[in-house]
Amino acid sequence: MARIIVVTSGKGGVGKTTTSASISTGLAKRGHKTVVIDFDVGLRNLDLIMNCERRVVYDFVNVIQGEASLNQALIRDKRVDTLYILPASQTREKEALTREGVERVINELSETFDYIVCDSPAGIEHGALMALYHADEAIVVTNPEVSSVRDSDRILGILQSKSRRAEMGLDPVKEHLLLTRYNPDRVSKGEMLSVGDVEEILAIPLLGVIPESQVVLNASNQGLPVILEEGSDAGQAYEDAVARLLGEEREHRFMTAQKKGFFTRMFKGG
Amino acid sequence: MTDTASTGVQQSFQFKSANVSLTALELYYFDNDEFETNLREKINQAPGFFKDIPLIISLEKYEGLDSELDFFKIIGTCRRHNIQVIGVRGGNEDQRRLARGASLALLPGSGQREKPQEPEATAEPESEPQTGQPTGPAPARIINHPVRSGQQIHAPEGDVIVLGPVQAGAEILAAGNIHVYGPLRGRALAGIHGGESARIFCQSLEAELVSIAGHYKISEDLQDNGWKNAVQIQLRDDLLVVTPLDKA
């Protein structure tokens, strides 16, 4: 049985697709057979970040509607051979994702994969609900700003009430907080919420903090999951997050301002 | 052939619990002529009120002789004035035997509780509260997890207790009190059915809105007093008063 992980946020533009790409790549790199599904029907992006947009023949909606088999639609990643991508349809409506259809595809994938990563669209409408419905775990991607935190809180409520686990009265979906676009300098100036602020408000365990970085933008423009930029702080932060997702203990990094230096700040602050 | 219910035939009726308010005639003694004279006087004061009403005869204050207690006469006199006697309340065993003889229903006295005569009450212990019997306070709703933005907790009776935060965009509605053992960042409306004695308690007041029995304050008006502190909020002379919990 596969472990099903939804990457969700409520708010758009916070880094769900970047996170889906890196988490799924990280899981696959560690030898777990992983598939990442793009649920963002009509606004397909995952294939760009995974650099497989030119190899899309069939998509998720084709499979749901019986126009293609799963094997025809799954795209094997060129860099990590245990990673597969199921792209979204760019031309269909979100309603094409029927509950029965999604369930059938997830069940079929469950038989052969270790991890199924669901990249949710923004919002709390049909597409987002379909993406989170089957989840065993949820990675709630949040930026350190008030509106993003509010939307994450909303999606956590929906996970508690509208997921399959909630509806069937099973153990609740395991929630993880992933703070992205974190800029310690701006936090120390009071322009951003701190990790502590966000943790305190949302009251769920912290999976990781991804620092704001030019590397993230460059990598996604090149079609490279940032976790493969192994020298970058963002890449290492995702690597840590994957390790924690698999149960390893890792200390949190990249949470304090770099330039000033740790010791100067310590002594100055008394 | 014998069991129509199990053969799928719809039953012709169903028993439901009902709660009706009735007029009682408290009888001190009975003399038919006097009874009719007094009854006529009362009816003349409010003819509309007495027309076709169901009436019970209360025997709890009856001081006359049992032998004078002629229910047939009472029923007949009342019926002449378009009043339907349906039963008696209270009374001793002899009086109740006479009432039963006149085909009247027997209701327990207001001071005493009749031994369970209704087999239905035992067959359905979870049925609605029995008529006229006071019920205990409604149980509180206890919420063990954070109440998230967009979620609503509604307690049409009783209190709500939240062990965790109530987030911005969440809403708690309670007929009784609201206790939040965490920050109250959303909306809390206590005493929604007009309960002016309801209160709101929270570990940290950061609410968007608080309301007791329809009297409300929004976040802007809460900033000056007890903001981000443990407080209780209550209604005093139609004003919401916020007091720190450590000074209560």
Side-chain angles (χ1 to χ4, degrees), chain A residues 159-179:
Chain A
L159 280 163
Q160 284 166 13
S161 58
K162 299 226 169 123
S163 61
R164 187 184 68 95
R165 282 179 170 270
E167 281 184 2
M168 303 185 77
L170 305 171
D171 290 343
V173 176
K174 196 174 173 195
E175 300 155 340
H176 306 276
L177 171 64
L178 188 75
L179 208 52

Side-chain angles (χ1 to χ4, degrees), chain B residues 85-174:
Chain B
V85 179
I86 60 168
V88 297
R89 185 174 74 187
N92 62 35
E93 253 178 63
D94 287 338
Q95 293 163 352
R96 290 168 81 83
R97 196 177 303 120
L98 288 169
R100 186 176 292 150
S103 301
L104 290 174
L106 305 177
L107 287 86
S110 52
Q112 80 219 54
R113 258 186 214 178
E114 192 78 339
K115 297 261 165 59
Q117 275 192 334
E118 304 132 276
E120 275 186 347
T122 45
E124 285 180 82
E126 283 186 348
S127 68
E128 288 169 53
Q130 295 292 309
T131 312
Q133 288 177 7
T135 51
R141 264 194 84 179
I142 300 178
I143 311 295
N144 285 313
H145 52 78
V147 184
R148 303 285 184 186
S149 183
Q151 291 182 326
Q152 192 189 56
I153 306 291
H154 184 207
E157 40 191 25
D159 296 356
V160 171
I161 299 168
V162 183
L163 300 164
V166 173
Q167 304 285 43
E171 190 169 61
I172 310 287
L173 301 162

Side-chain angles (χ1 to χ4, degrees), chain B residues 53-64:
Chain B
I53 61 161
L55 184 78
I56 57 168
I57 308 291
S58 169
L59 297 172
E60 288 161 309
K61 304 233 170 107
Y62 184 77
E63 286 168 351

Side-chain angles (χ1 to χ4, degrees), chain A residues 36-41 44 56-70 72-75 85-90 92 94 96-106 109 116-119 121 127 130-131 134:
Chain A
V36 53
I37 308 176
D38 191 349
F39 274 80
D40 205 349
V41 174
R44 160 174 117 191
V56 175
V57 182
Y58 295 108
D59 57 47
F60 193 15
V61 172
N62 292 138
V63 178
I64 284 176
Q65 299 189 337
E67 296 156 2
S69 73
L70 253 180
Q72 286 175 301
L74 284 174
I75 302 171
I85 299 112
L86 184 55
S89 171
Q90 184 70 345
R92 308 294 182 97
K94 284 198 172 13
L97 300 176
T98 60
R99 180 172 280 204
E100 299 74 30
V102 172
E103 184 164 359
R104 191 166 48 77
V105 173
I106 296 261
L109 290 169
I116 301 172
V117 177
C118 303
D119 181 21
M130 286 297 108
H134 294 277

